[in-house]
Amino acid sequence: MLLWKITTSPLPCRKVFKPIFRQRDFRYSENSGGEWSLNTSTGGYGQSTQCAYFDNYYIDSQGYADDLRMSLDLATATQPQLIYDIAYAPYGFPYVDTLVILASTDCGSNFEELYRKGGDELSTAPATTGYFTPANDQWRTDTLDLSAFAGAEHLIVAFRNLGHYGNVLYLDNINLQQDTLVVDVSEAAKDQISVYPNPVSRNNALHVFQNWPGNTYAVLFDSKGAQIFRESLDTTSQINLAAHSLSPGVYLLGVYGESRMQFFKIAIE
Protein backbone atom coordinates (compact mmCIF):
# COMPACT_ATOMS: atom_id res chain seq x y z
CA MET A 1 0.00 0.00 0.00
CA LEU A 2 1.30 3.43 -0.86
CA LEU A 3 2.06 5.93 1.85
CA TRP A 4 -1.10 7.72 2.75
CA LYS A 5 -1.70 11.43 2.31
CA ILE A 6 -3.00 12.67 5.66
CA THR A 7 -5.59 15.37 5.09
CA THR A 8 -6.36 18.31 7.34
CA SER A 9 -9.89 17.06 7.99
CA PRO A 10 -10.97 17.33 11.64
CA LEU A 11 -10.25 14.28 13.77
CA PRO A 12 -11.18 11.51 14.15
CA CYS A 13 -9.21 10.53 11.06
CA ARG A 14 -10.96 7.43 9.69
CA LYS A 15 -8.55 6.74 6.88
CA VAL A 16 -9.67 9.84 5.02
CA PHE A 17 -6.49 9.49 3.03
CA LYS A 18 -5.74 9.29 -0.67
CA PRO A 19 -2.89 7.20 -2.03
CA ILE A 20 -0.37 9.76 -3.23
CA PHE A 21 3.35 10.28 -3.05
CA ARG A 22 5.65 13.30 -3.32
CA GLN A 23 2.94 15.91 -3.16
CA ARG A 24 2.50 18.96 -0.97
CA ASP A 25 1.41 16.97 2.11
CA PHE A 26 4.83 15.28 2.21
CA ARG A 27 8.00 17.38 2.48
CA TYR A 28 11.57 16.27 1.87
CA SER A 29 14.79 17.43 3.48
CA GLU A 30 17.67 15.86 1.59
CA ASN A 31 21.26 16.35 2.73
CA SER A 32 23.05 13.26 1.46
CA GLY A 33 22.33 13.24 -2.25
CA GLY A 34 19.79 10.45 -1.73
CA GLU A 35 16.10 10.71 -0.95
CA TRP A 36 13.04 8.86 0.21
CA SER A 37 11.45 7.33 -2.89
CA LEU A 38 8.46 5.31 -4.04
CA ASN A 39 9.03 1.56 -4.24
CA THR A 40 6.65 -0.18 -6.66
CA SER A 41 7.58 -3.81 -6.00
CA THR A 42 6.71 -4.37 -2.34
CA GLY A 43 4.37 -3.12 0.38
CA GLY A 44 3.55 -3.71 4.03
CA TYR A 45 3.05 -7.41 4.87
CA GLY A 46 2.71 -8.17 1.17
CA GLN A 47 -0.71 -6.49 1.09
CA SER A 48 0.29 -4.28 -1.85
CA THR A 49 3.17 -3.43 -4.16
CA GLN A 50 3.87 0.15 -3.08
CA CYS A 51 5.63 1.77 -0.14
CA ALA A 52 8.26 4.40 0.68
CA TYR A 53 11.91 3.41 0.99
CA PHE A 54 15.40 4.79 1.46
CA ASP A 55 18.11 2.89 -0.38
CA ASN A 56 21.00 2.87 2.07
CA TYR A 57 22.43 -0.16 0.25
CA TYR A 58 23.55 1.86 -2.76
CA ILE A 59 23.53 5.36 -1.23
CA ASP A 60 26.22 6.27 1.32
CA SER A 61 24.65 9.13 3.29
CA GLN A 62 27.62 9.20 5.69
CA GLY A 63 25.25 9.82 8.58
CA TYR A 64 23.56 12.85 7.07
CA ALA A 65 19.84 13.35 7.74
CA ASP A 66 17.20 12.84 5.06
CA ASP A 67 13.63 13.50 6.13
CA LEU A 68 10.20 12.46 4.98
CA ARG A 69 7.89 15.01 6.59
CA MET A 70 4.14 15.42 6.96
CA SER A 71 1.86 17.96 8.61
CA LEU A 72 -0.88 16.93 11.04
CA ASP A 73 -3.77 18.89 12.52
CA LEU A 74 -4.31 17.66 16.09
CA ALA A 75 -6.47 20.59 17.18
CA THR A 76 -9.33 18.33 18.33
CA ALA A 77 -7.27 15.31 19.33
CA THR A 78 -6.90 14.10 22.92
CA GLN A 79 -4.88 10.87 22.60
CA PRO A 80 -3.50 10.74 19.05
CA GLN A 81 -1.17 7.94 17.96
CA LEU A 82 0.83 7.45 14.79
CA ILE A 83 0.82 3.87 13.48
CA TYR A 84 3.17 2.75 10.72
CA ASP A 85 4.71 -0.36 9.20
CA ILE A 86 8.49 -0.76 8.90
CA ALA A 87 10.90 -3.26 7.38
CA TYR A 88 14.69 -3.31 7.68
CA ALA A 89 17.55 -5.82 7.74
CA PRO A 90 21.00 -4.73 9.00
CA TYR A 91 24.04 -5.11 6.77
CA GLY A 92 26.43 -5.45 9.69
CA PHE A 93 28.91 -3.31 11.62
CA PRO A 94 30.07 -0.63 10.89
CA TYR A 95 27.36 -0.04 8.27
CA VAL A 96 24.56 0.76 10.71
CA ASP A 97 21.56 2.82 9.60
CA THR A 98 19.16 4.57 12.00
CA LEU A 99 15.56 5.74 11.82
CA VAL A 100 14.67 8.77 13.94
CA ILE A 101 11.17 10.22 14.26
CA LEU A 102 10.86 13.84 15.35
CA ALA A 103 8.08 16.38 15.83
CA SER A 104 7.96 20.17 15.51
CA THR A 105 5.31 22.67 16.58
CA ASP A 106 7.11 25.75 15.19
CA CYS A 107 7.05 25.04 11.45
CA GLY A 108 10.26 23.03 11.55
CA SER A 109 12.53 25.51 13.29
CA ASN A 110 13.04 23.11 16.20
CA PHE A 111 12.40 19.37 16.45
CA GLU A 112 11.85 17.08 19.43
CA GLU A 113 13.11 13.51 19.08
CA LEU A 114 10.41 10.92 19.79
CA TYR A 115 11.92 7.67 18.49
CA ARG A 116 15.36 6.37 17.59
CA LYS A 117 16.25 2.83 16.53
CA GLY A 118 19.13 1.54 14.47
CA GLY A 119 20.89 -1.66 13.49
CA ASP A 120 19.61 -4.77 15.25
CA GLU A 121 17.11 -2.76 17.32
CA LEU A 122 15.50 -1.43 14.15
CA SER A 123 15.63 -4.74 12.29
CA THR A 124 12.64 -6.83 11.29
CA ALA A 125 14.74 -9.50 9.53
CA PRO A 126 18.14 -11.20 9.98
CA ALA A 127 21.26 -9.32 8.92
CA THR A 128 22.29 -9.75 5.31
CA THR A 129 25.02 -8.40 3.06
CA GLY A 130 22.64 -8.66 0.11
CA TYR A 131 20.10 -6.11 -1.03
CA PHE A 132 17.16 -6.42 1.38
CA THR A 133 13.65 -6.93 0.01
CA PRO A 134 11.25 -7.85 2.85
CA ALA A 135 9.20 -11.03 2.80
CA ASN A 136 5.57 -10.73 3.87
CA ASP A 137 6.44 -11.70 7.47
CA GLN A 138 9.44 -9.37 7.71
CA TRP A 139 7.45 -6.25 8.58
CA ARG A 140 6.62 -4.76 11.97
CA THR A 141 3.86 -2.34 13.01
CA ASP A 142 5.04 0.35 15.43
CA THR A 143 2.93 2.83 17.39
CA LEU A 144 4.11 6.29 18.43
CA ASP A 145 2.25 8.21 21.15
CA LEU A 146 1.54 11.83 20.09
CA SER A 147 -0.67 12.72 23.07
CA ALA A 148 1.88 15.33 24.21
CA PHE A 149 0.99 17.28 21.07
CA ALA A 150 -2.80 17.03 21.38
CA GLY A 151 -4.34 20.38 20.49
CA ALA A 152 -1.56 21.37 18.08
CA GLU A 153 -3.03 22.84 14.90
CA HIS A 154 0.15 22.34 12.90
CA LEU A 155 2.44 19.49 13.90
CA ILE A 156 5.23 18.43 11.58
CA VAL A 157 6.33 14.80 11.94
CA ALA A 158 9.65 13.83 10.32
CA PHE A 159 10.80 10.30 9.53
CA ARG A 160 14.59 10.79 9.42
CA ASN A 161 16.98 8.35 7.80
CA LEU A 162 20.54 8.47 9.12
CA GLY A 163 22.25 6.31 6.56
CA HIS A 164 25.65 4.65 6.87
CA TYR A 165 25.76 2.61 3.65
CA GLY A 166 23.91 -0.29 5.29
CA ASN A 167 20.68 -1.64 3.85
CA VAL A 168 17.27 -0.62 2.57
CA LEU A 169 14.71 0.91 4.95
CA TYR A 170 11.00 0.61 4.11
CA LEU A 171 7.93 2.49 5.47
CA ASP A 172 4.27 1.89 4.70
CA ASN A 173 0.72 2.43 5.97
CA ILE A 174 1.37 5.59 7.99
CA ASN A 175 -1.91 6.25 9.79
CA LEU A 176 -3.17 8.66 12.42
CA GLN A 177 -5.29 7.06 15.14
CA GLN A 178 -7.41 9.11 17.52
CA ASP A 179 -9.06 7.82 20.67
CA THR A 180 -12.55 8.73 19.47
CA LEU A 181 -12.16 6.12 16.72
CA VAL A 182 -12.84 3.45 19.33
CA VAL A 183 -16.46 2.37 19.05
CA ASP A 184 -18.72 -0.06 20.87
CA VAL A 185 -19.20 -3.42 19.22
CA SER A 186 -22.96 -2.78 19.17
CA GLU A 187 -22.37 0.09 16.73
CA ALA A 188 -20.28 -1.97 14.34
CA ALA A 189 -23.13 -2.95 12.04
CA LYS A 190 -23.28 0.60 10.74
CA ASP A 191 -20.03 -0.04 8.91
CA GLN A 192 -20.89 -3.65 8.02
CA ILE A 193 -18.51 -5.17 10.55
CA SER A 194 -18.98 -6.98 13.84
CA VAL A 195 -16.63 -8.36 16.49
CA TYR A 196 -17.89 -10.79 19.12
CA PRO A 197 -18.10 -11.95 21.86
CA ASN A 198 -17.10 -9.02 24.03
CA PRO A 199 -16.01 -9.64 26.77
CA VAL A 200 -14.20 -12.74 25.57
CA SER A 201 -12.18 -15.40 27.37
CA ARG A 202 -8.45 -15.38 26.60
CA ASN A 203 -8.76 -19.12 25.93
CA ASN A 204 -11.49 -18.73 23.32
CA ALA A 205 -11.79 -17.34 19.80
CA LEU A 206 -12.72 -13.79 18.83
CA HIS A 207 -15.03 -13.74 15.80
CA VAL A 208 -14.76 -10.99 13.20
CA PHE A 209 -17.37 -10.59 10.47
CA GLN A 210 -16.77 -7.99 7.75
CA ASN A 211 -17.58 -7.52 4.10
CA TRP A 212 -15.16 -4.76 3.22
CA PRO A 213 -13.68 -4.97 -0.29
CA GLY A 214 -10.05 -5.97 -0.85
CA ASN A 215 -7.44 -7.09 1.69
CA THR A 216 -8.44 -6.72 5.34
CA TYR A 217 -6.45 -7.49 8.48
CA ALA A 218 -6.72 -7.12 12.25
CA VAL A 219 -4.11 -5.86 14.71
CA LEU A 220 -4.43 -6.21 18.49
CA PHE A 221 -2.74 -3.59 20.70
CA ASP A 222 -2.27 -3.64 24.46
CA SER A 223 -3.05 -0.67 26.74
CA LYS A 224 0.38 0.86 26.02
CA GLY A 225 -0.06 0.71 22.26
CA ALA A 226 2.29 -2.24 21.69
CA GLN A 227 1.28 -4.62 18.91
CA ILE A 228 0.36 -8.12 20.13
CA PHE A 229 -0.44 -9.75 16.81
CA ARG A 230 -1.56 -9.11 13.24
CA GLU A 231 -3.79 -11.48 11.26
CA SER A 232 -5.37 -11.39 7.81
CA LEU A 233 -9.16 -11.55 7.78
CA ASP A 234 -11.69 -13.32 5.59
CA THR A 235 -15.37 -12.39 5.49
CA THR A 236 -15.82 -14.55 8.60
CA SER A 237 -12.71 -15.10 10.71
CA GLN A 238 -11.93 -16.63 14.09
CA ILE A 239 -8.89 -15.31 15.95
CA ASN A 240 -7.50 -17.88 18.36
CA LEU A 241 -6.65 -15.82 21.45
CA ALA A 242 -5.22 -18.82 23.31
CA ALA A 243 -2.26 -18.87 20.93
CA HIS A 244 -1.08 -15.46 22.17
CA SER A 245 -0.91 -16.01 25.98
CA LEU A 246 -2.85 -12.82 26.76
CA SER A 247 -3.32 -11.40 30.25
CA PRO A 248 -6.79 -10.23 31.33
CA GLY A 249 -7.44 -6.59 30.52
CA VAL A 250 -8.78 -4.14 27.95
CA TYR A 251 -7.18 -4.25 24.50
CA LEU A 252 -7.64 -2.31 21.28
CA LEU A 253 -8.46 -4.24 18.11
CA GLY A 254 -7.88 -2.38 14.86
CA VAL A 255 -9.48 -3.66 11.66
CA TYR A 256 -7.81 -2.24 8.56
CA GLY A 257 -9.15 -2.30 5.00
CA GLU A 258 -7.93 -0.72 1.80
CA SER A 259 -10.14 2.35 2.19
CA ARG A 260 -11.16 2.42 5.86
CA MET A 261 -10.27 1.33 9.36
CA GLN A 262 -12.21 0.83 12.59
CA PHE A 263 -11.21 0.22 16.21
CA PHE A 264 -12.85 -1.72 19.04
CA LYS A 265 -12.21 -1.89 22.76
CA ILE A 266 -12.07 -5.59 23.63
CA ALA A 267 -12.32 -6.85 27.22
CA ILE A 268 -10.34 -10.07 27.58
CA GLU A 269 -10.98 -12.16 30.68
Side-chain angles (χ1 to χ4, degrees):
M1 189 178 296
L2 193 59
L3 274 180
W4 295 101
K5 170 185 172 184
I6 299 180
T7 71
T8 55
S9 302
L11 291 174
C13 186
R14 295 192 54 178
K15 202 116 176 176
V16 285
F17 311 147
K18 298 178 181 179
I20 197 164
F21 194 83
R22 204 169 179 81
Q23 294 289 340
R24 63 183 180 87
D25 289 279
F26 288 98
R27 297 287 186 267
Y28 296 79
S29 174
E30 302 159 0
N31 298 312
S32 68
E35 64 179 12
W36 287 94
S37 303
L38 172 65
N39 187 296
T40 58
S41 63
T42 188
Y45 295 93
Q47 298 293 318
S48 73
T49 57
Q50 293 182 325
C51 68
Y53 78 118
F54 199 99
D55 191 351
N56 293 300
Y57 190 84
Y58 285 115
I59 299 171
D60 183 6
S61 301
Q62 300 182 5
Y64 284 101
D66 295 281
D67 289 359
L68 176 65
R69 299 181 182 182
M70 62 188 69
S71 297
L72 303 177
D73 182 358
L74 304 183
T76 61
T78 56
Q79 295 180 342
Q81 292 183 319
L82 201 64
I83 302 174
Y84 50 94
D85 296 339
I86 186 171
Y88 176 76
Y91 184 94
F93 186 81
Y95 306 106
V96 179
D97 311 303
T98 300
L99 175 66
V100 183
I101 304 177
L102 311 100
S104 172
T105 56
D106 58 5
C107 298
S109 297
N110 298 282
F111 279 92
E112 177 182 344
E113 184 174 309
L114 308 177
Y115 171 108
R116 175 184 289 261
K117 289 185 179 180
D120 291 338
E121 186 180 15
L122 181 64
S123 67
T124 62
T128 177
T129 57
Y131 189 94
F132 174 59
T133 299
N136 294 351
D137 61 352
Q138 291 179 326
W139 289 80
R140 181 180 70 239
T141 301
D142 281 356
T143 303
L144 187 64
D145 184 12
L146 297 180
S147 57
F149 303 98
E153 295 183 358
H154 182 208
L155 180 72
I156 297 176
V157 175
F159 289 82
R160 177 168 295 173
N161 178 80
L162 302 177
H164 285 277
Y165 209 23
N167 222 320
V168 191
L169 173 61
Y170 298 85
L171 287 173
D172 200 7
N173 300 322
I174 301 174
N175 286 292
L176 180 64
Q177 173 187 314
Q178 218 281 87
D179 57 327
T180 56
L181 274 174
V182 179
V183 298
D184 292 333
V185 172
S186 61
E187 299 176 354
K190 297 178 182 178
D191 278 337
Q192 299 175 314
I193 181 173
S194 59
V195 179
Y196 60 91
N198 189 19
V200 60
S201 169
R202 56 181 172 169
N203 297 315
N204 291 341
L206 186 66
H207 298 258
V208 181
F209 169 81
Q210 54 82 28
N211 58 2
W212 292 355
N215 295 320
T216 307
Y217 60 93
V219 180
L220 188 71
F221 301 94
D222 66 16
S223 60
K224 296 181 180 179
Q227 178 181 324
I228 305 299
F229 63 76
R230 173 187 174 125
E231 292 192 13
S232 296
L233 297 177
D234 297 321
T235 301
T236 302
S237 297
Q238 296 185 32
I239 300 175
N240 181 15
L241 298 180
H244 301 285
S245 302
L246 300 173
S247 299
V250 177
Y251 293 76
L252 185 68
L253 182 76
V255 179
Y256 299 83
E258 293 186 350
S259 62
R260 70 190 76 178
M261 63 181 175
Q262 193 160 333
F263 294 86
F264 303 87
K265 281 182 179 178
I266 305 295
I268 295 179
E269 300 175 336

